[in-house]
Amino acid sequence: MTASTIHGRALPRKVVSPLISGVDTFMQGLDANQRATLLDIQEGRVAAETITIPPAALRDLFQAHGAVETVRAKQAEKRRRGAQTAATVSQAEIPTAEDAHA
């Protein structure tokens, strides 16, 4: 048994790297007030309900998330096909004594 058996396959580096880069860019693009509001929310203090974020700051995250979802869907499809194949193989007919004499 391996970790991937329990947790699923890891996402490829080419998918994860843009996501991390997008998060870094997003965080660097926040001004001091936005950061303070997010910190207040994180620490449970009363804060504004919303903050304004430029769409460009979210674009890379949105695209990276799409890439992650695509890979997850492909992995799920592979697991589904593997399970289907395993079920088909396990349902093979068991030879009977009559089959052995034929």
Side-chain angles (χ1 to χ4, degrees):
M1 183 159 289
T2 64
S4 67
T5 305
I6 296 169
H7 302 290
R9 289 185 50 103
L11 296 172
R13 181 175 294 214
K14 68 180 182 179
V15 172
V16 174
S17 292
L19 183 60
I20 292 169
S21 176
V23 170
D24 289 343
T25 301
F26 175 78
M27 292 304 294
Q28 291 167 0
L30 296 176
D31 65 29
N33 289 332
Q34 292 166 325
R35 287 175 188 255
T37 300
L38 291 173
L39 187 59
D40 287 344
I41 291 168
Q42 181 179 355
E43 293 181 355
R45 294 190 293 260
V46 176
E49 290 288 319
T50 61
I51 59 174
T52 302
I53 299 173
L58 294 174
R59 183 190 63 230
D60 290 340
L61 287 179
F62 186 76
Q63 290 172 341
H65 180 264
V68 167
E69 288 302 307
T70 299
V71 170
R72 284 180 176 161
K74 286 179 182 178
Q75 288 177 345
E77 177 62 20
K78 274 185 169 179
R79 283 192 304 273
R80 186 189 65 74
R81 283 195 316 260
Q84 240 178 3
T85 302
T88 302
V89 168
S90 69
Q91 292 177 1
E93 289 191 33
I94 299 172
T96 63
E98 293 175 7
D99 293 337
H101 296 297

